[in-house]
Amino acid sequence: MDKKIKVLDCTLRDGAYIVESKFGIPAIKGIIKKLQDAKIDIIECGWLKDKMHVNGTSFYHIPSDIMPYMSEKRERCTYVAMIDWDRYNLSNLPINDGKSIDAIRVVFPHDHFKEGIALGKIIKEKGYQVYFQAANTLDYSNSDLVKMAECINEAEPICLSVVDTFGAMYGDDLERIVSVLDKELNTNIKLGFHSHNNQQLAFSNAMRFVELLYYTEREIIVDSSLCGMGRGAGNATTELLVNYLNRKHNGNYDLNAIMDAIDMYMGYFIEHYQWGYSTPYFISGIYCAHVNNIAYLLNNHRTNAKDMQNIIEALPAEDRKKYDYNLLEQKYLEYQNKVVDDEEVMNTLKLVLRDKKVLLILPGKSVVNDREKIDKYIEEHKPVIIGINAVSQDYKCDYLFFCNTVRYDYAKEIYTDVFYKNKRIVASNIKTTADEDEMIVNFNSLVKRGWEHFDNSGIMCLRLLDKLQIADVAIAGFDGFKDGYDESYADVSLPHINPGKKWGELNEEIKDMYQDFRNKTRDYMNVEFVTESYYEENY
């Protein structure tokens, strides 16, 4: 292959975010060997960190920590590790003895490129090749790029890489940056590209990068990872990239060795971890928001896509690029804390429901499978029926209770007639102004934080009934999650609001919330399960 183009595989470095660097000894050794066999030009073995190396991780303290994973160092390969410009003490870095890595990549943010480049000069003095990564290159104006290129030329590294940190670049953005840097950089300095897949453009932009520079004098380096493994939306995939180069640019990479690496070492990570394009990480891309902000909203609040977009949009542009969790929590609470005066609504509901039995119809599959049992209960007890976060056409409800925007919109659009025929109790996180036959109740008065899934609809409605002083409650369809979505819901098309498939953990958490509620209300509220439930008390 024309070595004008080189591939840098960053699986063990960028993928370290996904597995907290804990790939395991066999996977690290095996991935390096298979990438060598595949004739990958540059193998990024992981990070150099200011802490001692733990066996089986791709966080190393000094280059010699990497040697046990390099069973056979190949001359045609270049071996690199990355340091963050302000997170590695170069006094720990020994003189290069040629036995471990050949080069170090230094990543620096937009406003600290001079400091990052200064570190590169020290690294060169210790005998290592130096590669630079200009994080969030999209943020650089043309004049910024010229200034950075001047400093890069003085430092004389092997390569400067353009980095699409937030996966926000379109082709014209990449062309602008590349055209300036190709003009300003010395021709002996390679130009690289590291893409992210927030907008499903990582591979497309990688190909665009190759085409932009293929007929110039400059050599280029393109980053990729096996299966696109990397933080958030992930990267361009090594298997797609090498196949493209083999077919279009006379590449001689061994795709079979790449496939062996995937089959032998990536299956476990694919099964147990998540990365790659998703709607939340698309939001990160369109707002140039740090992926940690997205992860925080997902992990701590299970924020849906529309709400996440509004919360990220509420952050100042500069703060989106960082991850200030205190500020993010503040914006989340401001967004959720849509306080309404619900005193009149609560008084009305108290009068309507006074001394009545209330039956909650939740979306579990038992509302279909045990319909005779539920119908019999309704016939015998004549309860007020409240449908919870979903519409069931099999039961005539007196009220529908909604506390999730996606479920509210789904019910309105798919079951329009039933939706508008029922009176609706709507939590204020969905809306603060009531339409006809709607009553708005304060969201924050119905939740108790401390659990990941604190906004479970069944628990929230029970808390509402407690505030309304209801003494006799029956529940149907509060089944608990089974192994598959189809086995958990009566309506299998009901929008999924519990990302991931940790059904057992979710069941235990909801059970804990229910027990917490019953510990408070057991003396004055009777709760009866009409259908079997994982959460039913056993006393």
Side-chain angles (χ1 to χ4, degrees):
M1 173 186 175
D2 182 356
K3 284 292 101 173
K4 174 185 182 63
I5 308 171
K6 293 186 176 181
V7 173
L8 184 154
D9 185 280
C10 59
T11 306
L12 294 172
R13 196 272 304 170
D14 214 340
Y17 288 114
I18 302 297
V19 298
E20 297 179 338
S21 81
K22 300 172 185 175
F23 284 95
I25 293 173
I28 298 175
K29 292 180 69 172
I31 287 171
I32 290 174
K33 184 179 185 305
K34 289 299 180 183
L35 293 175
Q36 291 174 160
D37 293 344
K39 302 177 185 177
I40 296 299
D41 306 283
I42 306 167
I43 301 171
E44 193 165 44
C45 302
W47 291 88
L48 293 182
K49 296 283 188 179
D50 273 341
K51 58 182 180 180
M52 300 308 293
H53 172 61
V54 176
N55 287 338
T57 72
S58 57
F59 287 171
Y60 314 100
H61 185 52
I62 53 177
S64 60
D65 291 333
I66 305 174
M67 289 173 57
Y69 304 98
M70 302 165 64
S71 55
E72 181 188 353
K73 191 175 180 183
R74 310 270 178 92
E75 285 188 9
R76 67 171 307 282
C77 287
T78 299
Y79 302 85
V80 306
M82 182 176 280
I83 66 168
D84 216 329
W85 74 282
D86 63 344
R87 296 180 183 174
Y88 186 69
N89 187 344
L90 287 183
S91 65
N92 294 321
L93 184 68
I95 300 297
N96 185 9
D97 61 7
K99 297 179 180 179
S100 181
I101 56 173
D102 307 296
I104 292 175
R105 290 219 285 182
V106 181
V107 60
F108 50 75
H110 170 228
D111 50 349
H112 290 286
F113 69 83
K114 290 184 178 179
E115 294 95 322
I117 293 168
L119 289 177
K121 294 178 181 178
I122 299 172
I123 293 168
K124 279 186 69 176
E125 291 172 358
K126 295 195 175 193
Y128 300 89
Q129 299 173 22
V130 174
Y131 296 60
F132 288 120
Q133 292 259 110
N136 191 22
T137 319
L138 184 60
D139 214 25
Y140 286 70
S141 66
N142 286 0
S143 61
D144 291 336
L145 293 170
V146 171
K147 291 175 184 176
M148 179 174 65
E150 290 175 356
C151 295
I152 293 290
N153 287 337
E154 182 185 349
E156 298 182 320
I158 297 296
C159 178
L160 168 68
S161 283
V162 173
V163 182
D164 187 11
T165 299
F166 305 115
M169 285 186 189
Y170 289 102
D172 58 334
D173 298 314
L174 183 61
E175 185 170 355
R176 172 186 72 84
I177 293 166
V178 166
S179 64
V180 174
L181 291 178
D182 186 42
K183 178 182 177 182
E184 299 297 330
L185 281 177
N186 293 339
T187 55
N188 64 318
I189 298 173
K190 297 177 176 63
L191 196 57
F193 180 54
H194 183 91
S195 58
H196 286 132
N197 208 33
N198 300 64
Q199 299 187 89
Q200 292 279 45
L201 293 173
F203 179 48
S204 173
N205 282 340
M207 290 190 293
R208 180 75 175 269
F209 177 76
V210 171
E211 303 302 331
L212 286 171
L213 289 165
Y214 187 71
Y215 294 104
T216 68
E217 296 180 41
R218 191 177 305 280
E219 294 182 12
I220 60 177
I221 297 173
V222 187
D223 288 12
S224 62
S225 60
L226 297 172
C227 306
M229 188 181 192
R231 180 163 58 173
N235 310 306
T237 61
T238 297
E239 56 270 26
L240 290 180
L241 180 62
V242 301
N243 186 58
Y244 157 70
L245 294 175
N246 283 351
R247 295 184 63 183
K248 299 296 184 180
H249 293 288
N250 303 312
N252 66 341
Y253 298 103
D254 187 338
L255 189 57
N256 284 331
I258 294 292
M259 294 306 182
D260 282 344
I262 292 170
D263 290 340
M264 295 174 68
Y265 302 112
M266 297 302 292
Y268 173 84
F269 304 117
I270 292 169
E271 182 178 350
H272 291 87
Y273 298 91
Q274 290 185 322
W275 67 84
Y277 173 80
S278 68
T279 302
Y281 290 114
F282 161 64
I283 294 169
S284 169
I286 61 177
Y287 288 105
C288 292
H290 198 289
V291 294
N292 285 10
N293 293 310
I294 303 301
Y296 179 88
L297 291 173
L298 286 173
N299 295 334
N300 291 279
H301 298 299
R302 298 188 306 117
T303 312
N304 64 46
K306 183 168 72 174
D307 291 345
M308 182 180 293
Q309 179 179 354
N310 290 329
I311 293 166
I312 295 296
E313 189 174 43
L315 290 170
E318 283 304 311
D319 288 320
R320 295 171 193 162
K321 300 168 189 173
K322 310 169 188 174
Y323 47 100
D324 182 340
Y325 295 141
N326 289 331
L327 176 61
L328 192 61
E329 182 69 12
Q330 175 189 328
K331 293 298 181 183
Y332 171 81
L333 292 175
E334 287 175 1
Y335 185 77
Q336 290 287 352
N337 194 25
K338 301 171 183 175
V339 178
V340 296
D341 182 0
D342 63 359
E343 183 178 1
E344 183 177 346
V345 166
M346 296 295 282
N347 288 335
T348 298
L349 287 171
K350 282 181 182 178
L351 287 173
V352 171
L353 300 178
R354 178 185 293 172
D355 300 326
K356 300 283 181 63
K357 290 181 181 290
V358 174
L359 172 63
L360 305 183
I361 302 287
L362 282 93
K365 199 156 190 174
S366 66
V367 299
V368 174
N369 295 340
D370 296 332
R371 184 174 177 183
E372 287 185 12
K373 189 185 297 183
I374 299 169
D375 285 343
K376 181 179 179 182
Y377 181 90
I378 293 171
E379 177 65 27
E380 291 179 358
H381 297 279
K382 304 295 190 295
V384 174
I385 302 174
I386 303 178
I388 307 297
N389 233 20
V391 168
S392 174
Q393 298 188 94
D394 294 331
Y395 302 95
K396 184 178 180 181
C397 294
D398 299 285
Y399 297 92
L400 298 175
F401 171 79
F402 290 100
C403 60
N404 178 272
T405 304
V406 175
R407 292 279 180 85
Y408 175 91
D409 290 341
Y410 174 79
K412 182 168 62 174
E413 293 176 9
I414 303 302
Y415 301 106
T416 305
D417 290 344
V418 178
F419 180 88
Y420 284 111
K421 284 178 182 178
N422 280 276
K423 293 180 180 179
R424 300 174 300 282
I425 304 168
V426 182
S428 62
N429 62 313
I430 298 177
K431 59 195 303 188
T432 55
T433 302
D435 290 336
E436 185 178 357
D437 287 330
E438 283 186 343
M439 293 170 280
I440 310 296
V441 293
N442 275 317
F443 172 83
N444 282 327
S445 69
L446 303 182
V447 296
K448 179 177 177 180
R449 300 181 191 276
W451 295 275
E452 181 179 350
H453 301 84
F454 62 87
D455 57 350
N456 176 266
S457 59
I459 302 296
M460 284 181 66
C461 195
L462 285 171
R463 291 201 182 101
L464 173 64
L465 297 182
D466 181 32
K467 289 181 177 296
L468 296 174
Q469 301 173 5
I470 306 302
D472 204 347
V473 179
I475 303 176
F478 199 26
D479 304 351
F481 289 93
K482 307 296 191 298
D483 290 336
Y485 202 69
D486 291 355
E487 296 302 315
S488 298
Y489 288 100
D491 178 0
V492 296
S493 298
L494 197 65
H496 197 346
I497 60 176
N498 296 305
K501 297 180 180 179
K502 298 179 180 178
W503 305 115
E505 292 179 17
L506 181 56
N507 277 334
E508 291 303 320
E509 187 176 53
I510 295 171
K511 188 171 187 176
D512 190 49
M513 284 191 287
Y514 177 73
Q515 292 297 333
D516 178 77
F517 173 79
R518 290 301 286 142
N519 288 340
K520 175 191 172 188
T521 62
R522 191 174 296 109
D523 292 340
Y524 57 83
M525 177 187 284
N526 176 58
V527 177
E528 175 184 358
F529 283 86
V530 180
T531 59
E532 288 186 10
S533 170
Y534 181 84
Y535 316 118
E536 188 171 1
E537 297 170 283
N538 295 306
Y539 291 107

